[in-house]
């Protein structure tokens, strides 16, 4: 029997001249209920936070709208709420509506509660319990040019508040050309606690002449 020479079996497959192909990355085998972990928060969590923020802002917006609606309803149901903001209810008078103190004049012993806008007074004393009302074309020392009437109901505002209101009345007074012919001052008069309790609800503003009964005309328009 003839034996042919058989080359020995190589110990490993030949690799010379073959390209190197990297092996595919191993894929983990996951349980059916597991999710892959890549280090980032799942999108579903971000969506939930966004939904919560939106719900929060909606709740705040609804609360603000509800507060505004409630405030509007409250203001409409309280028409006198302007008083709490510093506006005093009452009536300011700066225009004479005839008649003032009716003739015949002069009239002595007229009490302050009966003074009428436009009245002219001889020998005027604002603290006196009565005055003499004269025609404005006769010599006089004062004229009532503005007044403010408080409502009949209400507690005594206090002297400072009454002084301030009388000053407002003087500032609102409208004087005519005749006022430029005299040296005049403004003088205020307001009720005491006693006269307030008896029904006196007005503060008065007068123009007065320091020289006495030297005015011979009405200083109102």
């Amino acid at each position: 029997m003839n034996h042919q020479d058989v080359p020995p079996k190589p110990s490993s497959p030949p690799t010379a001249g073959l390209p190197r192909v990297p092996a595919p990355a191993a894929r983990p085998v996951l349980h059916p209920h597991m999710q892959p972990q890549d280090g980032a928060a799942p999108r579903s969590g971000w969506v939930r936070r966004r939904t919560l923020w939106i719900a929060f802002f909606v709740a705040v917006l609804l609360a603000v709208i509800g507060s505004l609606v409630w405030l509007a309803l409250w203001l409409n149901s309280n028409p006198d709420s302007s008083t709490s903001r510093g506006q005093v209810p009452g009536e300011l008078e700066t225009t004479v509506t005839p008649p003032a103190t009716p003739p015949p004049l002069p009239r002595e012993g007229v009490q302050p509660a009966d003074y009428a806008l436009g009245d002219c007074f001889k020998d005027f004393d604002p603290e006196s319990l009565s005055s003499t009302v004269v025609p404005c074309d006769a010599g006089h020392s004062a004229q009532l040019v503005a007044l403010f009437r408080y409502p009949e109901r209400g507690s005594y505002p206090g002297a400072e508040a009454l002084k301030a209101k009388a000053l407002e009345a003087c500032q609102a007074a409208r004087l005519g050309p005749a006022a430029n012919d005299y040296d005049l001052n403004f003088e205020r008069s307001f009720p005491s606690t006693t006269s307030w309790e008896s029904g006196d609800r007005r503060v008065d503003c007068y123009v007065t002449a320091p020289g006495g009964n030297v005015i011979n005309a009405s200083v109102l328009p």
Side-chain angles (χ1 to χ4, degrees):
M1 174 182 284
N2 294 328
H3 296 278
Q4 297 180 354
D5 293 333
V6 179
K9 183 177 181 181
S11 59
S12 61
T15 59
L18 297 178
R20 293 178 178 272
V21 179
R27 296 176 61 86
V29 178
L30 301 177
H31 188 275
H33 297 290
M34 294 176 62
Q35 297 293 333
Q37 299 295 323
D38 58 2
R43 183 174 177 83
S44 60
W46 177 81
V47 172
R48 284 195 296 271
R49 287 198 299 273
R50 182 182 179 188
T51 303
L52 291 175
W53 276 110
I54 292 176
F56 172 76
F57 283 117
V58 169
V60 171
L61 181 60
L62 291 176
V64 171
I65 293 174
S67 298
L68 293 176
V69 172
W70 177 86
L71 179 61
L73 293 175
W74 182 82
L75 290 175
N76 289 334
S77 63
N78 292 270
D80 294 334
S81 60
S82 60
T83 302
S84 62
R85 297 193 296 269
Q87 297 181 3
V88 178
E91 181 181 1
L92 176 66
E93 298 181 23
T94 58
T95 303
V96 177
T97 302
T101 297
L105 296 176
R107 179 175 295 181
E108 298 181 358
V110 180
Q111 298 181 354
D114 297 324
Y115 295 169
L117 185 65
D119 277 352
C120 295
F121 305 93
K122 181 180 179 181
D123 301 322
F124 181 69
D125 180 0
E127 297 183 1
S128 175
L129 297 179
S130 64
S131 295
T132 300
V133 180
V134 298
C136 289
D137 58 0
H140 57 278
S141 62
Q143 184 174 4
L144 179 59
V145 295
L147 62 89
F148 181 87
R149 298 182 188 274
Y150 281 85
E152 293 183 2
R153 295 184 179 181
S155 57
Y156 186 68
E160 293 304 318
L162 292 170
K163 288 179 182 179
K165 183 56 64 176
L167 178 59
E168 291 180 16
C170 288
Q171 292 171 340
R174 294 179 292 179
L175 303 182
N180 299 323
D181 298 333
Y182 304 97
D183 181 17
L184 301 175
N185 297 322
F186 280 115
E187 193 159 347
R188 296 170 288 173
S189 178
F190 55 90
S192 65
T193 54
T194 302
S195 62
W196 183 277
E197 292 174 358
S198 65
D200 185 3
R201 292 291 187 274
R202 50 182 268 187
V203 295
D204 297 334
C205 174
Y206 304 88
V207 291
T208 60
N213 300 314
V214 295
I215 309 173
N216 294 291
S218 173
V219 298
L220 292 177

